Amino acid sequence: MPAPSPSTTARTDLSWFARRRRAVTDAAARRTHADLVARGLSAAGSRTTTGLTVLAAGVLAVAAAAVALLAWATVLPKGLWGWVGVAAGWVLVAALAPRPVQVKGTTELDPAQFPATHRLLRDLAAAVGAPPPAAVHVDADFGAGVVSTGWTLRPTLVVGLPLWTCLTDDERIALLGHELGHLRGRDTARAALLGHTHGLLERLATLLTPLPRDAVSDLEDARLGVQRSNAMMNGIGRAVLAVGSLPALLLLLVFERAVARESQVREYAADLRAAEVAGTSAVVRLLLTAMGIAGIHTLAGAAARRREDPFATLAQVRDRARLTAGQIAQARRRAREEGLRWDASHPRDDLRLSVLEAHPTAPDPTALEARHALVRAADAELAGLRPVLTRPFRDDLLESWI
């Protein structure tokens, strides 16, 4: 999974399923918002989730029973069409089988070569009560996130060097504190059970979902130079696939609805835990910076077109003046009116801001100063990656202008 990209505009071209998924997320975010505003992290404790666990276990049990039935059918005597059916079944199993997630297009930070960076992450992980990530990667994206990699779902932190470069030291601590806050409870058997179930249901829905209406077919031989209308055949095919995929889509939506409250609480709780190590004002500034990523991306793209160093431009953004109270209020209104959020899995930014501001936190000044020193040391190490990542970063920026 790539690091998430900030969403700065309300999408109006979403599919039916994407609209329902967003509606489920928004409803869960609103339901949990008042509770978090009133009680803070004490409201983030796990509630009764037996039904969700039973649902996940049931889905995996049905999948395991289907594979066992297919294996039994494989060894039975059968004719030609029986073998065709068995072969098709094993192709389906191969398509739906879990696959280890790998992080690609990134640079892994060796602890021996980046000791300050790993020391910073260990300090912040201990402060938020989470285990440090098993691996740390840096890429050329405006994003950050924790990815469960490999068969054992090892937590891997991915940080975009462009995003890191344009943040202040306080915002960097807040960013890492938020991502590390997500690692609390991620190493449990229940978390692995839910993760594998969601992956299975998502692959099943993806396998059966029809292509977009304007998808181009490779079945027609365009070399003949004959223009044919495939609108009717495409429409019939979409209708058949839509009916066949509906049960899988509904099952995925039911599962995501069941897990929505828990996922939204985790986002709010990660913000509050980040505030404990960086301060509420730092997390607020981080969210406000994320709202303006589109503009920052434009500045970096303009620098790339002028053949300037885009990282140098981002470093100048880091030194910008802080927003006033009026500008913060205006940003909150904009987030509410335009539905701004980091990505589709997060609550709206205005809801996150109100939860943070309802529970202002100021970390111990001595501890914060020690973290600032670690951040500066980590930044010195990461700055050495800029020559390596400048070209792919510039290429990505120029492609977005074409």
Side-chain angles (χ1 to χ4, degrees), residues 215-237:
V216 178
S217 172
D218 291 330
L219 299 178
E220 181 179 349
D221 191 351
R223 294 174 299 176
L224 299 178
V226 178
Q227 298 293 329
R228 300 187 181 92
S229 174
N230 291 320
M232 179 179 292
M233 298 305 298
N234 188 33
I236 294 174

Side-chain angles (χ1 to χ4, degrees), residues 109-304:
L109 304 186
D110 188 336
Q113 297 178 344
F114 298 86
T117 303
H118 283 268
R119 190 162 56 250
L120 170 64
L121 291 171
R122 288 195 299 270
D123 176 86
L124 292 176
V128 300
V136 184
H137 293 244
V138 170
D139 64 11
D141 194 10
F142 280 98
V146 176
V147 187
S148 298
T149 60
W151 292 107
T152 58
L153 303 180
R154 297 169 65 247
T156 298
L157 175 66
V158 181
V159 178
L161 191 59
L163 177 62
W164 174 271
T165 304
C166 71
L167 298 179
T168 65
D169 288 348
D170 283 337
E171 291 172 320
R172 290 167 176 170
I173 296 172
L175 175 70
L176 296 178
H178 176 93
E179 297 304 336
L180 292 172
H182 279 304
L183 294 183
R184 288 185 57 142
R186 283 278 292 270
D187 56 346
T188 63
R190 179 178 176 277
L193 175 68
L194 297 181
H196 284 305
T197 302
H198 185 266
L200 172 64
L201 295 178
E202 200 167 48
R203 286 190 295 274
L204 178 62
T206 302
L207 179 68
L208 298 176
T209 300
L211 292 173
R213 188 181 304 278
D214 56 351
V216 178
S217 172
D218 291 330
L219 299 178
E220 181 179 349
D221 191 351
R223 294 174 299 176
L224 299 178
V226 178
Q227 298 293 329
R228 300 187 181 92
S229 174
N230 291 320
M232 179 179 292
M233 298 305 298
N234 188 33
I236 294 174
R238 283 176 53 82
V240 171
L241 286 174
V243 172
S245 65
L246 188 58
L249 288 173
L250 291 177
L251 183 57
L252 176 60
L253 194 60
V254 166
F255 183 83
E256 293 193 347
R257 182 182 181 86
V259 81
R261 182 207 174 272
E262 187 174 326
S263 67
Q264 296 308 288
V265 168
R266 283 200 303 266
E267 293 298 340
Y268 289 127
D271 284 342
L272 293 172
R273 293 187 178 108
E276 291 180 345
V277 297
T280 298
S281 60
V283 185
V284 169
R285 289 198 304 273
L286 173 64
L287 289 175
L288 295 174
T289 298
M291 291 184 200
I293 282 294
I296 296 174
H297 187 279
T298 299
L299 289 176

